[in-house]
C-alpha cells in the first residue's frame, strides 16, 4: 500500500504543469552538450552549456541590472499596446467605415520591418528609453487589435438584441455582453503581445542604446563572446516566460468562468 502511494505521488509530481517543461528543457541541454562533444564543435561557433551556466553564475548581478531597462521598455510598450489597441479594435468592430479605412493600414504597417525603421526613432527621440518603448509598442499593438476585433465581432447578435430589449443602455449592454464575450480573445492577443514586446524592446536596444539585454548581446557579438550572448538569450527567454505567466494569471483572475480556465476539462482522443 505504501509503495502504491509512493508511486502515485511520483506520478503526480511528474505530471505537474511545471515539471514537464523543465524535463524537456533538461533534455535539450543534454542533447546540446552531447552534440558539441560528438561533433567537436568549436567554442567560437556554439558554446557549451557549462560555459553559459558559468557566465550566468559569475555575471548574474550585471545581467540582472541590464535586464531592468529591457523589462521596463517591454512593460511600457505592452501597456501602450493594450491601452490603444483595445479601443481601436472597438472602433473597427463597431463601424464598417472605420474598418475600411483603418484595418488595411494596420495590415500594411506590419509588412514594414521594425528593424528598418527603428533607427528613425533614435534620430527623432535620442538614445533614451523612448525608442525602445515605441519599438515594443509597434510589435505588440497589432496582435491586440486583431484578437480584440475578432472577439468583439464574434458576439452573438441575439444576445445583444435581448439586452437592448430589456431597456439596457448601449454602455450597459457593452459591459454586460460585448466585453465579457470578447475577453478571451483579448487576452489571447495580450499573451502574444507581451512576448513580441520583448522582441521589440531588444530591437530598440540593438539600433541605439548603451544599456539593456540587447546592448549586452550586441557587445558580445562584436567581441565573439558567445557564452555571454547565450546567457543574455537565457535572460530574455526567462523574461518572456515570466511576463507571459503574469498575463496568464491576470486572465485567470479576470475570466475564471471561461472554459479555457477550467482545470476539469477532459480532452477526448
Amino acid at each position: 500500500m505504501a509503495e502504491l502511494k509512493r508511486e502515485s505521488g511520483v506520478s503526480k509530481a511528474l505530471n505537474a504543469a511545471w515539471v514537464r517543461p523543465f524535463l524537456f528543457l533538461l533534455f535539450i541541454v543534454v542533447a546540446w552538450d552531447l552534440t558539441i562533444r560528438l561533433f567537436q564543435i568549436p567554442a567560437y561557433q556554439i558554446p557549451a552549456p557549462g560555459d553559459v551556466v558559468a557566465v550566468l553564475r559569475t555575471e548574474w548581478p550585471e545581467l540582472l541590472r541590464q535586464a531592468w531597462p529591457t523589462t521596463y521598455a517591454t512593460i511600457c510598450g505592452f501597456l501602450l499596446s493594450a491601452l490603444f489597441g483595445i479601443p481601436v479594435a472597438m472602433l473597427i468592430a463597431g463601424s464598417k467605415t472605420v474598418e475600411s479605412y483603418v484595418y488595411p493600414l494596420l495590415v500594411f504597417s506590419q509588412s514594414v520591418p521594425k528593424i528598418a525603421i527603428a533607427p528613425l526613432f533614435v534620430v527623432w527621440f535620442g538614445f533614451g528609453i523612448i525608442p525602445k518603448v515605441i519599438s515594443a509598442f509597434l510589435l505588440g499593438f497589432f496582435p491586440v487589435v486583431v484578437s480584440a476585433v475578432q472577439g468583439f465581432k464574434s458576439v452573438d447578435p441575439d444576445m445583444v438584441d435581448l439586452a437592448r430589449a430589456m431597456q439596457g443602455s448601449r454602455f450597459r449592454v457593452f459591459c454586460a455582453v460585448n466585453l465579457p464575450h470578447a475577453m478571451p480573445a483579448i487576452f489571447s492577443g495580450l499573451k502574444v503581445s507581451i512576448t513580441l514586446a520583448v522582441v521589440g524592446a531588444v530591437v530598440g536596444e540593438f539600433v541605439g542604446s548603451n544599456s539593456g539585454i540587447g546592448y549586452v548581446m550586441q557587445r558580445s557579438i562584436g567581441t565573439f563572446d558567445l557564452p555571454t550572448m547565450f546567457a543574455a538569450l537565457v535572460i530574455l527567454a526567462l523574461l518572456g516566460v515570466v511576463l507571459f505567466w503574469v498575463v496568464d494569471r491576470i486572465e485567470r483572475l479576470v475570466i475564471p468562468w471561461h472554459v479555457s480556465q477550467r482545470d476539469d476539462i477532459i480532452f477526448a482522443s
Side-chain angles (χ1 to χ4, degrees), residues 22 46 59 67 69 79 136 140 162-163 199 223 225-226 242 244 250 264:
F22 178 78
I46 301 178
E59 301 293 332
L79 292 178
L162 177 61
V199 179
T223 58
D225 187 4
L226 293 190
V242 170
F244 184 92
I250 296 175
D264 56 347

Side-chain angles (χ1 to χ4, degrees), residues 36-165:
I36 291 177
R37 294 177 185 273
L38 290 176
F39 296 97
Q40 297 182 353
I41 301 176
Y44 62 83
Q45 291 184 345
I46 301 178
D51 297 335
V52 178
V53 172
V55 171
L56 286 172
R57 185 176 62 250
T58 57
E59 301 293 332
W60 178 255
E62 175 64 16
L63 290 173
L64 195 63
R65 186 179 68 84
Q66 296 291 350
W68 167 243
T70 306
T71 305
Y72 181 75
T74 299
I75 294 175
C76 290
F78 168 73
L79 292 178
L80 288 176
S81 300
L83 182 64
F84 288 97
I86 296 175
V88 169
M90 292 167 54
L91 293 175
I92 293 175
S95 173
K96 291 291 185 180
T97 303
V98 175
E99 181 180 9
S100 63
Y101 279 101
V102 176
Y103 214 39
L105 292 179
L106 288 176
V107 176
F108 172 78
S109 67
Q110 294 306 300
S111 63
V112 180
K114 302 304 179 292
I115 189 66
I117 61 175
L120 291 175
F121 303 146
V122 177
V123 174
W124 294 339
F125 303 106
F127 290 89
I129 193 68
I130 296 180
K132 296 186 284 186
V133 173
I134 295 177
S135 297
F137 163 73
L138 290 179
L139 262 73
F141 177 74
F142 189 70
V144 175
V145 174
V146 172
S147 299
V149 167
Q150 185 65 29
F152 286 121
K153 282 190 173 183
S154 62
V155 178
D156 189 356
D158 293 336
M159 296 178 61
V160 177
D161 293 338
L162 177 61
R164 289 178 178 174

Side-chain angles (χ1 to χ4, degrees), residues 209-257:
S209 179
N210 56 3
S211 63
I213 296 298
Y215 168 75
V216 173
M217 293 176 61
Q218 189 180 41
R219 185 182 59 188
S220 301
I221 293 173
T223 58
F224 290 95
D225 187 4
L226 293 190
T228 301
M229 189 190 74
F230 273 69
L233 289 174
V234 172
I235 298 297
L236 278 180
L238 290 175
L239 175 61
V241 169
V242 170
L243 293 177
F244 184 92
W245 179 83
V246 170
V247 176
D248 183 71
R249 293 299 100 182
I250 296 175
E251 180 184 15
R252 288 180 177 270
L253 292 175
V254 174
I255 54 171
W257 44 265

